[in-house]
Amino acid sequence: MIEFYLDGGSGVSPYLQLVQQVRHALRLGMLREGDQLPTVKEVVAQLAINANTVLKAYRELEHEGLVAARPGVGTFVTATLTDASLAAHGPLRLDLRRWLAKARRAGLDDESIEALFMSTFRTTAQEDIA
């Protein structure tokens, strides 16, 4: 089962953080069809957020066809976002871990690492488009 967390400094609304975390878990194969999401009550207790925030996130995921609510039972995954590239994740994750260790040895903190990664990612994506 997924365990949610909130990053108050991200600038992303709490409900959208929940949606993104479910999408990421689906994309990485951490959640599969038939898996149950935590109940609204469990998420509220864990994160100390408003129940409407959780409900909004779950409704958006349901609207996207990724989950379905079963009244009195819970919310369950109905679709996955994994594809054939899932097999490549292991070796890529290992390469990324090595790169992260190298960045930390070079003195970069988490924010600097994230900034470097995202700027390189965006630049590469723009070059691929051109």
Side-chain angles (χ1 to χ4, degrees):
M1 185 180 294
I2 189 169
E3 190 168 313
F4 293 115
Y5 60 91
L6 292 178
D7 180 358
S10 72
V12 177
S13 66
Y15 99 91
L16 196 51
Q17 288 185 51
L18 300 179
V19 170
Q20 289 173 344
Q21 288 171 43
V22 170
R23 285 184 191 142
H24 289 171
L26 290 169
R27 198 169 304 284
L28 296 174
M30 296 163 58
L31 279 176
R32 291 188 162 79
E33 210 169 313
D35 287 349
Q36 184 174 4
L37 296 183
T39 66
V40 172
K41 187 183 262 188
E42 290 170 340
V43 178
V44 166
Q46 177 191 355
L47 301 178
I49 60 174
N50 189 295
N52 288 328
T53 301
V54 182
L55 288 168
K56 184 176 181 180
Y58 283 12
R59 276 194 303 268
E60 181 164 327
L61 291 163
E62 191 168 10
H63 179 71
E64 293 175 11
L66 299 174
V67 302
R70 296 183 197 155
V73 180
T75 302
F76 295 84
V77 174
T78 57
T80 183
L81 295 174
T82 59
D83 57 23
S85 71
L86 187 60
H89 287 202
L92 290 171
R93 185 181 307 264
L94 183 59
D95 289 346
L96 187 53
R97 283 177 175 254
R98 289 181 184 137
W99 182 85
L100 287 169
K102 188 175 179 179
R104 286 196 175 92
R105 283 193 305 272
L108 276 68
D109 62 8
D110 288 350
E111 285 187 37
S112 298
I113 290 170
E114 185 177 358
L116 176 60
F117 177 84
M118 289 309 297
S119 67
T120 305
F121 179 81
R122 286 188 188 107
T123 301
T124 303
Q126 289 171 351
E127 289 170 357
D128 289 346
I129 292 171

